Amino acid sequence: MNGRHLRVHKRLVQSFKDANSGFLLALAQERNIKLQLSAAVLVLCFSWSIHVSLTYLVVIFVLIGGVISLELINTAIERLVDLVTKENHPMAKAAKILQRLPYGGSR
């Protein structure tokens, strides 16, 4: 392996470490992630108990991944808005309201 491939490998490994750290941080600090992962485990256990086909299990995993991904994006946007302004600014309020839309506006 030459030096270029080694650098690419190290960057790839570091990006996975960073992603894992971010996920663990969200898991430690965000109540909704915990609730959604708990619901995902229940759905998977129920699916297994009623012998859902492999095709449907793949669909379930993709949907669970989508929900968790949206929650992480939601959390990142919320944190970014909080970082930009701590005051009660109308644009910050609008950004937080808009980022809730994928969840039907509840939060």
Side-chain angles (χ1 to χ4, degrees):
M1 210 185 278
N2 64 26
R4 181 175 170 261
H5 288 143
L6 191 57
R7 283 191 308 271
V8 169
H9 177 71
K10 284 183 179 179
R11 285 194 311 242
L12 180 64
V13 169
Q14 187 60 46
S15 71
F16 277 104
K17 286 180 181 179
D18 292 343
N20 189 46
S21 295
F23 182 75
L24 292 175
L25 179 68
L27 187 61
Q29 295 180 353
E30 295 296 320
R31 176 182 51 106
N32 286 346
I33 293 281
K34 293 175 190 169
L35 291 172
Q36 290 163 351
L37 286 175
S38 299
V41 168
L42 289 173
V43 166
L44 290 172
C45 289
F46 181 72
S47 299
W48 177 76
S49 72
I50 62 170
H51 307 288
V52 170
S53 72
L54 181 60
T55 304
Y56 286 129
L57 277 177
V58 169
V59 170
I60 290 169
F61 270 107
V62 168
L63 292 173
I64 289 170
V67 168
I68 299 301
S69 296
L70 279 174
E71 181 60 37
L72 292 171
I73 291 169
N74 180 36
T75 299
I77 292 170
E78 196 167 282
R79 299 260 174 107
L80 184 61
V81 169
D82 288 343
L83 178 67
V84 171
T85 180
K86 292 291 183 186
E87 60 193 44
N88 194 2
H89 192 277
M91 293 295 282
K93 182 179 179 181
K96 286 191 171 197
I97 290 170
L98 289 172
Q99 58 95 20
R100 292 183 197 142
L101 288 177
Y103 298 98
S106 64
R107 182 100 165 152

